[in-house]
Amino acid sequence: SLDMAGILRLNLKLRSGGWTLDSDYQLLALQGDGLKLTGPPNDDRRLFNLTDVINESSDSAILHRLDRLWLGYTSEKTVVRVGRQALSWGHGLAYAPMDLVNPFDPTSIDTEYKSGDDMLYFQYLQDNGNDVQAAHVARRDLVSGNVESDEATVAAKYHGFGGMGEFDVLIARSYGDTVAGIGLAHPIGGAVWSADLVVTDTELDTHTQFVTNLMYSWIWKGKNMSGAVEYYFNGFGQSGGRYDPLSVAANQDLAVRLLRGELYTSGRHYFAANVLIEMTPLWTVTPTLLSNADDPSALFQLVTNYSLSDNMTLLASLNVPLGPDGSEFGGIETPIPGRYLAIDAGLFAQFAWYF
């Protein structure tokens, strides 16, 4: 399969006193086989429809949208924002169970820009440096198109400091499920250790997710290096011989992608590891391995980022799935005997110009 995209992004931010207006415009031209399966980006689940398709065919689309549109006020201790914005919580690197709103796919290569959601966000900073954050994300039901409380995410997170470390406490109601979590981060020698424990109480059962990682930076043969290893326990996973579409936390946006065939997860135990190597001050190479320990199978990614000039960059990746038939990355089973649904090796390249 072959997919191509051209994206123009114009970012406008206006400030006056404590007030801020943020608006990001996107013009997208998409062409490829992926559109036949997923269709163009849309705002069907969001509160406001800020996407307009200019032209569309079975394998191409031209559209424009506002992916940021929020008004905020910041005082000495308080931040309030309303509108379409992005939110990231938790310490997960590849796997982020505490990031309830719109987490990146673990296999994402371009993570510079995160898609926004329609929400009300609040933050209060205490005198001791701790802070409280809260968010209410409104969503629509995909079938009825109505705004439903069971589709929303209402969450609060307390972030504090203890000694040399930090901690987070999360409580939320997301897609009709109750979610509670705790996160920790602490230096160990020259490394940083982090972990998140998230418990989701659904109508059928209670599921636990746990992610922990260790990050370390060093110099080897005159080159700057930084690496990370991560373990993720997926408490949803397989159940009763069926693959639960909620295996990616309580996030239905990712569940919808799973049902469309964009994402698949079947295991309970995952490992991730990567090393960023600074070949030169302008060129980095990052080998990454995402592994399902239950199959076992894995996805190997070799990512390179090169700064062509002060305002031009080249991002590229080689993606190679590893594993036998019947495994997550080697190819999942289908109802047809001897047939497997797999993604072959692939190449990704992106040129970016900032102006």
Side-chain angles (χ1 to χ4, degrees):
S1 63
L2 179 65
D3 292 283
M4 295 178 288
I7 303 173
L8 171 68
R9 182 179 297 131
L10 303 176
N11 306 326
L12 173 66
K13 182 172 288 188
L14 302 175
R15 291 191 179 96
S16 178
W19 292 93
T20 302
L21 174 65
D22 193 303
S23 176
D24 292 1
Y25 170 83
Q26 292 180 333
L27 175 65
L28 302 93
L30 311 173
Q31 197 280 327
D33 300 299
L35 281 176
K36 299 177 183 178
L37 181 65
T38 65
N42 61 69
D43 290 337
D44 291 349
R45 294 194 63 81
R46 293 178 172 88
L47 179 62
F48 300 109
N49 184 9
L50 303 180
T51 298
D52 179 54
V53 177
I54 301 172
N55 184 272
E56 181 182 4
S57 66
S58 62
D59 65 348
S60 65
I62 299 175
L63 63 140
H64 57 164
R65 63 199 307 257
L66 288 174
D67 197 59
R68 294 284 192 280
L69 184 62
W70 58 264
L71 178 66
Y73 181 78
T74 302
S75 65
E76 183 178 349
K77 294 186 176 181
T78 304
V79 176
V80 180
R81 296 199 299 257
V82 59
R84 182 158 300 179
Q85 53 193 292
L87 179 67
S88 295
W89 283 350
H91 298 98
L93 302 176
Y95 305 96
M98 193 176 283
D99 200 0
L100 301 178
V101 177
N102 194 6
F104 282 113
D105 186 317
T107 63
S108 295
I109 300 166
D110 179 13
T111 57
E112 178 187 17
Y113 190 86
K114 188 175 187 180
S115 295
D117 283 282
D118 299 329
M119 73 178 78
L120 173 64
Y121 172 82
F122 172 81
Q123 181 182 24
Y124 178 76
L125 180 65
Q126 296 179 310
D127 292 333
N128 59 4
N130 298 355
D131 69 272
V132 180
Q133 299 179 53
H136 181 188
V137 183
R139 300 188 186 92
R140 297 181 181 274
D141 183 87
L142 279 176
V143 177
S144 67
N146 298 326
V147 178
E148 303 284 353
S149 60
D150 283 348
E151 303 294 324
T153 294
V154 182
K157 184 175 71 72
Y158 184 83
H159 176 76
F161 297 88
M164 295 291 292
E166 305 176 26
F167 66 90
D168 291 310
V169 178
L170 170 74
I171 186 72
R173 184 75 176 172
S174 186
Y175 293 101
D177 299 331
T178 300
V179 183
I182 185 169
L184 300 171
H186 199 280
I188 300 178
V192 176
W193 168 80
S194 302
D196 288 333
L197 176 67
V198 179
V199 178
T200 303
D201 184 30
T202 70
E203 293 182 356
L204 301 177
D205 206 348
T206 299
H207 306 276
T208 300
Q209 296 176 92
F210 175 72
V211 63
T212 182
N213 52 60
L214 191 68
M215 295 177 288
Y216 183 70
S217 299
W218 68 99
I219 297 177
W220 181 69
K221 292 187 176 181
K223 300 183 185 301
N224 294 322
M225 313 271 286
S226 61
V229 291
E230 182 170 88
Y231 165 72
Y232 169 57
F233 172 75
N234 174 18
F236 288 90
Q238 265 185 321
S239 177
R242 296 179 301 144
Y243 295 103
D244 189 339
L246 293 181
S247 56
V248 279
N251 187 295
Q252 284 192 2
D253 286 333
L254 290 185
V256 168
R257 295 183 58 202
L258 182 145
L259 294 174
R260 287 176 173 175
E262 297 177 57
L263 183 67
Y264 174 81
T265 180
S266 63
R268 286 184 176 271
H269 303 280
Y270 286 85
F271 291 93
N274 68 69
V275 178
L276 186 148
I277 308 168
E278 189 178 274
M279 306 298 292
T280 72
L282 301 178
W283 177 33
T284 62
V285 175
T286 308
T288 300
L289 189 70
L290 303 171
S291 172
N292 180 343
D294 296 311
D295 285 324
S297 64
L299 177 68
F300 173 74
Q301 294 181 318
L302 183 62
V303 180
T304 181
N305 194 314
Y306 189 80
S307 178
L308 300 171
S309 69
D310 289 342
N311 57 357
M312 290 186 289
T313 62
L314 178 65
L315 176 66
S317 174
L318 170 67
N319 309 301
V320 182
L322 307 169
D325 291 342
S327 64
E328 176 173 354
F329 295 103
I332 62 175
E333 297 181 28
T334 70
I336 305 174
R339 294 284 188 176
Y340 299 90
L341 183 64
I343 297 177
D344 212 337
L347 291 171
F348 169 89
Q350 174 183 281
F351 170 76
W353 173 45
Y354 303 85
F355 56 93

